[in-house]
């Protein structure tokens, strides 16, 4: 069984983007709760334009990956709904301007989302590779202590609440692949939780703090 983590890392549009989104009409139909969650992960003040927004990647006509990062954390959400993207959008990607996201959320969807010309970073390079994961039990050594910034731990909780994930049955799984590697949280959709239509899974990545 493949997961959101597997599908996201397997979809490397950097190497073969079919088309870069150029029109506002190219932006997929994103549920408001997902926009609110991803807005929390954007760069706050807009001084880094490439991080001040939500990046979308259309896998096919019913699957879209959305991500946002501020350099300290990364949120990735996978949505799968027939009405998300227009026919012919497979392979399309683009960055939604952060200011338009804020206005859209503030005005309850009555102001349009707009595309940004800024370049979104290749965030897949910081996602830990599960194939390199250390089995701490077999290694016979305890995993190292990690410090996590409370601000971003709280952010993760707020993201989960927006996505309706605080009342689900399926677990949130925490992975530490190596000492001082980013802390990786993964979660797959609970079919009984319909709070966000089309929600398939998510990834949350949090950079650790040194304790020495």
């Amino acid at each position: 069984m493949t997961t959101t983590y597997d599908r996201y890392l397997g979809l490397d549009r950097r190497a073969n983007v079919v088309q870069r989104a150029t029109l506002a009409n190219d932006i997929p139909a994103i549920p408001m709760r997902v926009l609110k969650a991803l807005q929390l992960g954007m760069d706050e003040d807009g001084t880094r334009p490439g991080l001040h927004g939500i990046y979308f990647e259309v896998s096919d006509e019913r699957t879209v990956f959305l991500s946002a990062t501020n350099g300290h954390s990364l949120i990735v959400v996978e949505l799968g709904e027939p009405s998300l993207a227009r026919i012919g959008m497979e392979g399309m990607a683009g960055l939604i301007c952060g200011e338009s996201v804020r206005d859209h959320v503030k005005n309850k969807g009555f102001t349009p989302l707009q595309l940004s010309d800024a370049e979104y970073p290749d965030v897949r390079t910081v996602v830990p590779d599960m194939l390199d994961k250390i089995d701490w039990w077999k290694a016979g050594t305890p995993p190292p202590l990690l410090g996590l910034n409370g601000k971003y731990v709280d952010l993760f909780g707020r993201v989960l609440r927006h996505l309706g994930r605080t009342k689900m049955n399926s677990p949130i799984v925490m992975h530490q692949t190596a000492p001082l590697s980013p802390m990786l949280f993964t979660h797959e959709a609970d079919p009984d939780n319909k709070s966000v239509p089309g929600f398939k899974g998510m990834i949350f990545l949090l950079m650790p703090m040194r304790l020495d």
Side-chain angles (χ1 to χ4, degrees):
M1 177 182 175
T2 60
T3 64
T4 292
Y5 171 90
D6 299 322
R7 291 186 290 270
Y8 180 66
L9 291 189
L11 182 79
D12 189 356
R13 294 300 184 189
R14 298 288 164 179
N16 54 5
V17 173
V18 176
Q19 186 177 359
R20 179 167 180 168
T22 57
L23 302 172
N25 286 341
D26 294 333
I27 299 173
I30 306 170
M32 183 62 73
R33 294 186 71 159
V34 176
L35 286 173
K36 288 181 177 179
L38 289 163
Q39 178 186 357
L40 296 173
M42 303 186 314
D43 181 55
E44 293 181 355
D45 56 14
T47 56
R48 295 173 292 177
L51 305 185
H52 188 56
I54 296 172
Y55 191 70
F56 69 86
E57 298 167 277
V58 181
S59 174
D60 53 47
E61 291 171 8
R62 58 177 300 121
T63 305
V64 174
F65 289 95
L66 301 154
S67 62
T69 183
N70 52 30
H72 301 282
S73 63
L74 168 67
I75 307 166
V76 179
V77 174
E78 181 184 13
L79 296 176
E81 277 285 298
S83 59
L84 275 174
R86 293 184 290 104
I87 294 175
M89 286 183 62
E90 181 175 348
M92 188 172 288
L95 180 63
I96 306 171
C97 173
E99 288 303 320
S100 75
V101 172
R102 288 179 173 172
D103 290 343
H104 186 82
V105 170
K106 180 180 179 181
N107 295 307
K108 300 180 180 180
F110 288 101
T111 52
L113 295 171
Q114 301 291 339
L115 290 168
S116 169
D117 293 330
E119 191 69 25
Y120 189 70
D122 186 0
V123 295
R124 285 181 176 82
T125 60
V126 301
V127 178
D129 188 342
M130 293 293 193
L131 295 176
D132 296 331
K133 187 174 181 179
I134 296 174
D135 188 326
W136 301 105
W137 296 103
K138 289 183 178 179
T141 57
L145 295 176
L146 271 183
L148 299 178
N149 188 314
K151 174 182 177 180
Y152 299 111
V153 173
D154 176 65
L155 184 149
F156 186 33
R158 293 161 64 197
V159 168
L160 291 174
R161 286 192 292 276
H162 277 307
L163 295 176
R165 313 316 301 165
T166 54
K167 296 182 179 180
M168 76 294 183
N169 296 319
S170 52
I172 295 167
V173 182
M174 183 173 65
H175 314 262
Q176 187 186 359
T177 58
L180 293 180
S181 68
M183 184 62 73
L184 175 66
F185 300 86
T186 60
H187 172 63
E188 299 303 308
D190 182 343
D192 296 328
N193 190 315
K194 305 294 184 182
S195 55
V196 177
F199 178 86
K200 297 180 72 174
M202 67 173 295
I203 298 168
F204 184 80
L205 195 69
L206 181 56
M207 300 303 292
M209 300 171 62
R210 287 186 177 274
L211 298 177
D212 53 12

